[in-house]
Amino acid sequence: MLLKERFTSYLNAIGINKAVGYGVLTRLWGLVSVPATMYLIVTRFSKEQQGFYYTMYSLLALQVFFELGLLYVVAQFASHEFVDLQWGKGGKIIGDPVFLSRFVDLLTKTTLWFIVVSGLLTVVLIPLGLFFFSSMRGTTIDFAWHLPWILAVLGTAINLLAIPFFSIIMGSGDVVSVNQRELLGALLGSCISWVLIVFHGGLYAVFAVTCGNAIVSWSFLLRQKPELLKLAWKQITCRTQPVQQKSAISWWGEIWPMQWKMAISFFSGYFIFQLFNPVLFYFYGPTVAGQMGMTLSVFNALLTVSTTWMAASSPEFGKLIAKKAWKQLDKLFFTVQYQSIGVVTAGAIVAGCVIGFLQAEYQIGQRFLPLNQAVLLFVSAIVVIINNGFAVYLRAHKTEPLMVVSVIIGILQALATWYLGMHYSSFGVILGLLVITTTFALPAVYIIWQRFRTTWHGVNTGSA
């Protein structure tokens, strides 16, 4: 407790709130754990195992097709409904009966959704992965991957069951608890996976990460929010009516209009960022896929660290929008946006220098993509962060105006990844990403942001 209080005091002294503080710690841990994991992979895995390891994560990311964008939508709706509510002891929700009714209804329907999709994810991904990896030819595999893949999918499904509760908690404004859970989950998952890798556990390390997150998530819910779990269980099993049925959330009238647009946007995101490894694995084998996967892990670490400020501020955006406090909203947004851009730019420079040094001095450097390709990938990360900020701002209004653009970007990127990857390997894949994000995605997203901001708030677009 004393350590926690000192940490809070330090954050207050430097002007950072606890939510951002824990989020930054999580991302900083990523900066430590990613290179540590890379080192262990290089020293304990063959090049083929490395390719399997990162491609497994890309296939597990297919869970976005089962979530259908609901996690983000729930957080946005919860932030609006929680304005006149508050947390009581043990995760009990108290406050205005009308808002409470809607909040409980949102919790119940979301929980039911994820119970179903967790089962679907299991029965679809397990055979899909077994078929994909078995179709590889020309490479001798002398390590276990069948059972590790099955366990990894099961771990992902168990974790998925807990995520809607944390989406609700984040939407309520309790970002601190969400980021604490994420930090502890990252710590435990990394440590368990490292132990397995060191003791020749091989690809079971993939399951270890999801297992660590699941342990922390469910332990937190059972210890800190048992009343929330009881409430969801009671509503589902007893079919209890909400406090005021007339004020219940209309899934098709309120949630679905935003959800299906978000789902399509997130589907597009998969084709933009997660298709690289499977395509390279299919055309060039696990070695090239492993190089892409390791370089992408640095790319993803940059994105994860840089989005901390924006993610932590998203619930506050929702509350300011509900109050129509436009000037406060814009002031907070621009501050957070500039912070995110500064962090990702600095990180990209450092990452490029480190990879260049490793490739010049150590054999481990050859497990990454060539330096020129890595640099192009990191430049793309800066553009992605800028677009992410505009997207969070827009979606905080409980709408998804980027759907059409996201679909176009996803189609263009999928085609570019497949064609350029098939003919030009990893260089073609990265070049396609850079060209599409800079020449189409960035200007398109910015124009939409300016237009909707002017329409909603009646502000002068030149004031940005």
Side-chain angles (χ1 to χ4, degrees):
M1 182 61 69
L2 181 60
L3 180 62
K4 184 177 179 180
E5 291 176 353
R6 288 181 177 177
F7 175 65
T8 302
S9 299
Y10 175 74
L11 291 177
N12 292 334
I14 60 177
I16 297 178
N17 63 47
K18 290 173 65 177
V20 173
Y22 282 112
V24 170
L25 279 180
T26 304
R27 276 57 182 179
L28 289 176
W29 173 250
L31 293 180
V32 174
S33 64
V34 167
T37 302
M38 289 178 181
Y39 174 77
L40 290 174
I41 288 175
V42 169
T43 56
R44 301 284 178 168
F45 282 8
S46 66
K47 293 180 180 179
E48 290 76 19
Q49 269 183 304
Q50 178 179 319
F52 269 78
Y53 178 87
Y54 287 113
T55 305
M56 278 185 176
Y57 276 112
S58 293
L59 293 182
L60 289 175
L62 285 168
Q63 73 178 63
V64 70
F65 289 89
F66 298 88
E67 297 171 6
L68 296 180
L70 186 58
L71 292 178
Y72 197 96
V73 175
V74 169
Q76 297 304 317
F77 271 84
S79 69
H80 287 257
E81 302 301 334
F82 214 80
V83 173
D84 291 314
L85 301 176
Q86 59 183 324
W87 291 105
K89 184 177 180 180
K92 186 176 182 180
I93 306 170
I94 56 179
D96 182 274
V98 174
F99 283 95
L100 178 60
S101 173
R102 289 173 59 82
F103 195 89
V104 170
D105 201 44
L106 178 64
L107 170 67
T108 305
K109 291 173 178 175
T110 304
T111 305
L112 280 171
W113 179 282
F114 278 94
I115 289 174
V116 173
V117 300
S118 294
L120 289 175
L121 180 142
T122 302
V123 298
V124 172
L125 282 195
I126 288 178
L128 177 64
L130 294 175
F131 172 78
F132 178 81
F133 290 118
S134 296
S135 64
M136 186 188 64
R137 298 184 179 90
T139 302
T140 301
I141 303 301
D142 58 357
F143 50 85
W145 64 267
H146 295 82
L147 184 56
W149 169 250
I150 293 172
L151 291 176
V153 174
L154 293 176
T156 300
I158 294 172
N159 221 18
L160 193 61
L161 286 171
I163 291 178
F165 294 101
F166 287 97
S167 184
I168 288 280
I169 293 170
M170 171 170 273
S172 74
D174 188 9
V175 185
V176 174
S177 294
V178 175
N179 286 351
Q180 282 180 335
R181 189 272 312 179
E182 187 176 358
L183 174 60
L184 293 175
L187 287 167
L188 183 59
S190 296
C191 291
I192 296 176
S193 67
W194 292 343
V195 171
L196 284 174
I197 294 174
V198 169
F199 289 97
H200 306 288
L203 296 175
Y204 287 99
V206 179
F207 167 65
V209 174
T210 59
C211 181
N213 278 293
I215 291 172
V216 171
S217 296
W218 286 104
S219 296
F220 173 87
L221 291 172
L222 291 170
R223 186 180 69 256
Q224 300 292 336
K225 304 290 185 183
E227 294 299 323
L228 185 66
L229 293 178
K230 291 178 183 177
L231 178 62
W233 178 256
K234 182 179 179 180
Q235 291 292 322
I236 292 172
T237 58
C238 301
R239 303 180 185 275
T240 306
Q241 293 296 317
V243 176
Q244 294 186 20
Q245 183 64 37
K246 65 180 181 179
S247 62
I249 292 284
S250 171
W251 191 277
W252 301 112
E254 297 180 68
I255 295 179
W256 183 248
M258 182 179 180
Q259 183 190 353
W260 73 268
K261 295 178 182 178
M262 289 293 298
I264 293 176
S265 295
F266 283 122
F267 293 169
S268 303
Y270 181 88
F271 292 111
I272 295 172
F273 299 111
Q274 297 293 341
L275 200 58
F276 298 170
N277 286 336
V279 167
L280 293 176
F281 190 101
Y282 182 79
F283 286 115
Y284 293 92
T287 299
V288 176
Q291 291 178 315
M292 173 61 80
M294 186 161 282
T295 312
L296 273 177
S297 66
V298 180
F299 172 86
N300 290 330
L302 290 175
L303 295 184
T304 301
V305 171
S306 305
T307 55
T308 301
W309 285 263
M310 195 62 68
S313 301
S314 181
E316 186 63 25
F317 290 165
K319 292 180 180 179
L320 292 174
I321 291 168
K323 297 177 182 178
K324 300 187 184 301
W326 309 130
K327 290 184 178 180
Q328 291 176 262
L329 171 66
D330 284 351
K331 181 179 179 180
L332 176 61
F333 167 73
F334 287 123
T335 298
V336 176
Q337 179 79 322
Y338 295 144
Q339 288 173 339
S340 301
I341 295 172
V343 171
V344 71
T345 302
I349 294 172
V350 172
C353 292
V354 170
I355 290 178
F357 172 75
L358 290 175
Q359 291 184 338
E361 302 293 336
Y362 299 97
Q363 187 63 29
I364 186 178
Q366 307 312 310
R367 292 293 186 100
F368 293 91
L369 293 174
L371 180 59
N372 63 324
Q373 297 182 30
V375 170
L376 293 178
L377 183 63
F378 298 153
V379 171
S380 300
I382 299 174
V383 182
V384 170
I385 285 298
I386 296 173
N387 285 340
N388 174 76
F390 294 136
V392 171
Y393 183 101
L394 292 170
R395 291 164 180 165
H397 292 74
K398 296 201 302 184
T399 187
E400 175 49 299
L402 298 177
M403 184 195 69
V404 175
V405 170
S406 297
V407 171
I408 295 174
I409 295 172
I411 293 173
L412 291 175
Q413 189 61 61
L415 294 174
T417 298
W418 185 265
Y419 181 80
L420 296 177
M422 177 173 56
H423 292 284
Y424 304 102
S425 189
S426 55
F427 176 74
V429 168
I430 292 175
L431 184 62
L433 173 66
L434 181 63
V435 170
I436 292 171
T437 54
T438 55
T439 63
F440 178 75
L442 179 59
V445 172
Y446 179 75
I447 290 172
I448 292 173
W449 174 79
Q450 285 279 41
R451 187 183 66 187
F452 276 87
R453 176 169 167 260
T454 303
T455 301
W456 289 333
H457 307 167
V459 298
N460 182 357
T461 57
S463 63

